[in-house]
Amino acid sequence: MAGAVEKKVNLAEELIGKNSFERPDKIAFFCGDVKVTYRELAKNVNKFANVLRTLGVKPTERVMIHLPDSPLFIYAFLGSVKCGAWPVPVNTMLSEGDYRYLLTDSESRFLVTNMDSRAAQIETDHHCDKIFPDDRFRELFSAASDEADPYLVNPDDIAFWLYSSGSTGKPKPTPHKQSSMLFTADNYAKHVLGIREEDICFSVSKLFFAYGLGNGLTFPLRFGATAVLLSDPPTPEKVINTLVTYRPTVFFGVPTMYNSLVKKMNGADTSSLRLCVSAGEALPPEIFKQWQAKTGCEIVDGIGSTEALHIFISNRPGAAKEGSSGSLVPGYEAKIVDDEGSDVPVGATGHLLIRGSSITPGYWNRPEQNREKMLEDGWFRTGDMYSRDNGYFIYQGRGDDMLKVGGIWVSPMEIEYVLIEHAAVSECAVVGHEVEGLQKPFAYVVVNPSHDGTGKEKLTGELLEFVSQRLPKFKRPWGIHFVNELPKTATGKIQRFKLRKS
Ligand code: 3UK
């Protein structure tokens, strides 16, 4: 047969193998009082792989991971990869209904989670076993061998999944290749950020997000560096405390966090930082300026996505251009096109398409959404509007109604569907308004004529409470405007763009 035989690989082996020989005693992870050396990391990943094998896992079976950032998350993720199973990290802030959907959709064979998590409450059928860090697990884990043969596959074979909630509708299963993490590390982390062995990385974005997974796992391991993991929700106080205690050199944040931090830092010592990165949503120039004035460190803004695994357009350290997402990361190509798919003239705004080897081979089992987003010749439709100016890409907003709030997707429709359930609400629409340069959700509500006339202030409180009980906290509107009617097209479609301007 013609053609070269591809070298077989295993991503877990690629990320850990060399480190455990070259720097066994170096600390790979700090988490609270726990320190994990590269030797311990290698052993514990092997132990986790062996526990899974003992429990009967088979290659390509899904292992859902619902855990806070912690060494156990890392062992579960890389242990699954090591034995050829596909880890599926999921957002820890969702509702039981969401987890039910995710478990069914992924057909997960195992769910690794804490006893008190929301996913743990779900009755799974006989296809899915739960793994808790309980006595039974600890027994299996301590009895397991700390050596394990990697399950070897082709570099283009799948290694893990993430769920993308990038558009309206349910989250989409987004597989990634064995080679993709290494690609993001070697192109973005090395060539753009210059991550090196001496670095200590700290990411506000959790490991279950593609952004956090790169920042807190891929990059430190690829370069034999160290990562700090924060298990708790990242309140500004906890983040400042982590910066002061562990003195990271590279900090990965989102614009909302930078905005809170500049207000609450009060002279906290951030002198350890050599590099600050922002992604998730556009960074307002004002926050860039204030952070630089306070810390002396510029923020390197870049755009990435779950489908691309990490950042594909980025500013460069030392040359950050305010108000721009920067230029292409090596290894990626971009096109800006009109609705028909033709290139727009330089300076004009159009749909951003990207191409590069870390892009998902396609959503799992979603032919329709793949047709919409995965175009011919490997081009991926990001859903973002961009213009180009001398090689710099300028973000012009989303091509749909989706909002990024604190770097996390919020679907206006999801909030609207909840509000409309309330007896006082006849119709409603949710749009983003700027608060200090950042998008926050606001609801426009038409009150039911039959409503008893509760005062507006009281009704606002009631509606916000109503939403809070039904949706995660980050999806709560920042305010409610009562209106007599909503702007609509002739065909009755709500024109959210008109409300956006009001
Ligand atoms: C938006 C940005 C303007 C944009 C992500 C870094 O955010 C990440 O992934 P998601 O799948 O969302 C992707 C969408 O978010 N966006 C992200 N960064 C920026 N808009 N400026 C930015 N700097 O709409 C994009 O399509 O949640 C970020 C690394 C990995 C990621 N997955």
Side-chain angles (χ1 to χ4, degrees), residues 16 28 50 59 111 134 183 192 214 228 243 286-287 300 325 360 392 410 432 436:
I16 301 175
N50 286 326
L111 164 66
D134 57 4
F183 188 88
V192 174
V228 183
L243 291 172
E286 190 53 34
I287 298 179
V300 181
S325 305
T360 177
Y392 284 97
V410 171
E436 299 183 12

Side-chain angles (χ1 to χ4, degrees), residues 210-211 279-282 301-306 310-311 384 398 404 409:
Y211 181 42
E281 59 182 316
D301 184 15
I303 174 172
S305 76
T306 307
H310 217 277
I311 289 171
D384 296 298
R398 287 290 299 174
K404 265 298 185 83
W409 285 115

Side-chain angles (χ1 to χ4, degrees), residues 227-272:
V228 183
L229 303 177
L230 173 64
S231 296
D232 299 321
T235 58
E237 292 73 21
K238 293 250 160 79
V239 171
I240 292 168
N241 189 30
T242 306
L243 291 172
V244 173
T245 310
Y246 295 97
R247 303 190 51 81
T249 58
V250 186
F251 177 64
F252 297 90
V254 296
T256 308
M257 180 55 67
Y258 284 110
N259 196 24
S260 313
L261 290 177
V262 274
K263 295 195 176 109
K264 296 194 175 160
M265 286 221 303
N266 294 329
D269 180 6
T270 55
S271 58
S272 62

Side-chain angles (χ1 to χ4, degrees), residues 413-452:
M413 279 158 70
E414 192 181 359
I415 305 174
E416 291 163 9
Y417 289 166
V418 169
L419 279 170
I420 203 86
E421 296 270 308
H422 192 281
V425 177
S426 151
E427 277 191 305
C428 66
V430 171
V431 298
H433 283 317
E434 273 191 15
V435 178
E436 299 183 12
L438 295 165
Q439 294 285 312
K440 306 294 174 195
F442 285 81
Y444 287 78
V445 167
V446 180
V447 176
N448 227 323
S450 63
H451 179 66
D452 65 8

Side-chain angles (χ1 to χ4, degrees), residues 23 137 318 431:
R23 48 185 75 79
F137 172 81
V431 298

